[in-house]
Amino acid sequence: MSTLQHFVGGRPLPGTSGRTAPIYNPATGHRTGEVDLASPEEIDAAVAVAVAAQRAWQDVPLARRAQVLFSVREAVVRRGDELAAVITAQHGKTLSDAAGEVQRGLECIEFACGIPDLLKGEFAPQVASGVDVHSLRQPMGVVACITPFNFPCMVPLWMLPNAIACGNAVILKPSERDPGASLLLAEIFLEAGLPPGVLNVVHGDQVAVNRLLVHPDIAAVSFVGSTPVAKHIYETGTAHGKRVQALGGAKNHMVVLPDADLNLAADAAVSAAYGSAGERCMAVSVVVAVGDVGDPLVEAIRLRVDKLVVGPGEDPASEMGPLITAEHRDRVASYLDKGADAGAITVVDGRTTTVAGDGFFLGASLLDRVTTDMDVYRDEIFGPVLCVVRADTYNEALALINANPYGNGVALFTRDGGAARHFEQAVEVGMVGINVPIPVPVAAFSFGGWRDSLFGDSHMYGAEGVRFYTRNKVITTRWPDPATSRVDLGFPRPD
Ligand code: NAD
């Protein structure tokens, strides 16, 4: 059994708190190692290292910073399989899913390679007589990045490339459940030429997080995780004067209109509901079947669910892996009884799917005739349970989505351009897919939901990421009239 240590100042640092958390291989159920959990004192020491490194890093020319990012990109491409293997071993998702996660993270590195362009300020000459104004964006200082278990590589890469390219130093506090990918990323950044101390990984639980939230030298906090924790992070961080973006949970709907391509919609529902065992903040967890599409759609989904191969993520035949822990698997499974007790129809019960061994597996489940007052509809289940809600009209579907407390992602399946256009305007959700099951925006855009899916006013990565990790400064300059200057210009002064 290995112990994962912190990574501070460019090298592994053993924990001193005496506290650790277990790491499992979710496909076998075996404990494979443990990770050190930082004390407040260890956080303070890591922040001090980051403060010193940041002072030098902010003066490194943009061209050099971009070169480091280009080298990071090359290393992530080269070591992509290694990253995917670590993700699958600790998270459980299939290797192809893990490789997809690395690829989406790579996009964010590529975006940050354009930092010399992204940091260009503005200039307005002659705003008054002899007066010019220009603006520049400067780094925030030391940034804390706190990430969830479900994308152990991609979510850190939503944050690190922009934060570092903008001249900040980072304390990354990954999920204690699968911290291996973050350590590999730290090693990759170091080998790519990032000075030691600019990127530090400190493991921990709420003790570490709560110290980061009040530490006077942490200037900004990027958080992704569940809604109650996101709210806590936002409220505590901002109360201590920090800039905070805190992305929370989700309950994503997929509306299917009667004119939709049924096969396309059913394929999309299955891949988006059960991919990564439903442990995605952009998973479809509710299909809203409008009008008479309900019965054929439920049947089309059922046929596909029956064929879904559940097994270890390392097995290329597996299409869905285990859940992250036994406790989470049992919690997700408990919703199947809750749904049935409340009157939902169990079309497929994932508990009947068995995989040999002690892995944290639960098969895909499908519940029909779910209503908005049921727990299975109201709670973020975060597992392979898809609920179908029936709606008589498009308007009814739209109204229930807009009434939901979450507003992360949504999708509409239709062939009707007018309906699609109305939907994209009227739906109160941050990220919308038309015939695309819950799209994660490409890196040139930014990622963020509305309402309880995001606290703060800044979305993640893309241009909003660059703004979040920098402070704007405006300089107003008055130039003396050249006629009054005593400097010899070497040519006749203008009249
Ligand atoms: P989580 O909220 O339990 O943990 C996220 C991070 O917060 C971890 O690093 C954890 O150590 C820390 N943490 C946990 N409890 C804490 C507490 N009480 N005080 C301070 N810090 C605490 O989330 P998770 O289970 O790791 O991830 C799944 C959740 O993340 C889901 O709700 C999912 O929807 C959400 N998520 C959202 C997005 C998004 O973009 N909106 C993306 C990925 C995941």
Side-chain angles (χ1 to χ4, degrees), residues 300-379:
I301 295 173
R302 188 189 67 76
L303 289 172
R304 286 160 172 79
V305 172
D306 282 347
K307 292 192 197 128
L308 211 59
V309 181
V310 182
E314 280 98 357
D315 183 346
S318 300
E319 294 169 299
M320 192 177 102
L323 282 95
I324 185 72
T325 57
E327 297 71 35
H328 185 56
R329 186 259 325 269
D330 295 345
R331 180 185 164 273
V332 172
S334 74
Y335 277 96
L336 298 173
D337 288 334
K338 281 188 197 167
D341 291 349
I345 296 170
T346 307
V347 181
V348 185
D349 186 335
R351 290 171 295 190
T352 59
T353 301
T354 51
V355 178
D358 298 322
F360 311 140
F361 289 97
L362 177 66
S365 297
L366 180 61
L367 301 180
D368 192 10
R369 305 260 172 209
V370 168
T371 52
T372 55
D373 55 342
M374 296 180 185
D375 285 348
V376 283
Y377 178 81
R378 283 204 303 251
D379 298 354

Side-chain angles (χ1 to χ4, degrees), residues 146-151 155 158 173-177 204-206 209-210 213 223-227 229-230 232-233 247-250 280-281 380 382 408 431 447 449 453:
I146 302 160
T147 55
F149 81 84
N150 66 324
F151 283 105
V155 171
W158 283 359
K173 206 304 285 172
S175 169
E176 62 276 37
R177 288 184 258 181
D205 53 10
Q206 61 197 70
V209 172
N210 289 340
L213 293 178
F223 172 86
V224 176
S226 59
T227 288
V229 182
H232 163 67
I233 300 280
L247 276 58
R280 287 181 183 150
C281 63
E380 183 186 34
F382 218 57
N408 213 39
M431 293 168 284
F447 182 107
S453 294

Side-chain angles (χ1 to χ4, degrees), residues 10-73:
R11 50 176 197 273
L13 188 69
T16 56
S17 72
R19 292 195 312 127
T20 59
I23 298 174
Y24 293 95
N25 180 337
T28 62
H30 297 154
R31 188 173 167 155
T32 55
E34 56 185 15
V35 59
D36 286 326
L37 300 177
S39 63
E41 293 72 27
E42 289 172 289
I43 290 287
D44 291 356
V47 173
V49 169
V51 166
Q54 195 273 331
R55 284 196 196 109
W57 177 241
Q58 68 180 357
D59 291 334
V60 170
L62 289 180
R64 173 68 197 137
R65 288 190 224 161
Q67 276 168 7
V68 171
L69 266 296
F70 274 107
S71 300
V72 170
R73 184 206 175 268

Side-chain angles (χ1 to χ4, degrees), residues 76-86 95 99 102:
V76 169
V77 169
R78 205 174 52 248
R79 301 179 68 175
D81 289 348
E82 208 181 324
L83 276 163
V86 171
L95 272 175
V102 174

Side-chain angles (χ1 to χ4, degrees), residues 62 65 114-122 135-139 162 164-167 466-467 469-471:
L62 289 180
R65 288 190 224 161
I115 198 67
D117 188 48
L118 296 167
L119 279 185
K120 283 191 305 207
E122 297 166 308
S135 69
L136 49 95
R137 303 206 68 90
Q138 294 187 311
N162 276 344
I164 289 169
C166 288
V466 172
R467 274 198 299 278
Y469 294 124
T470 52
R471 286 186 291 189

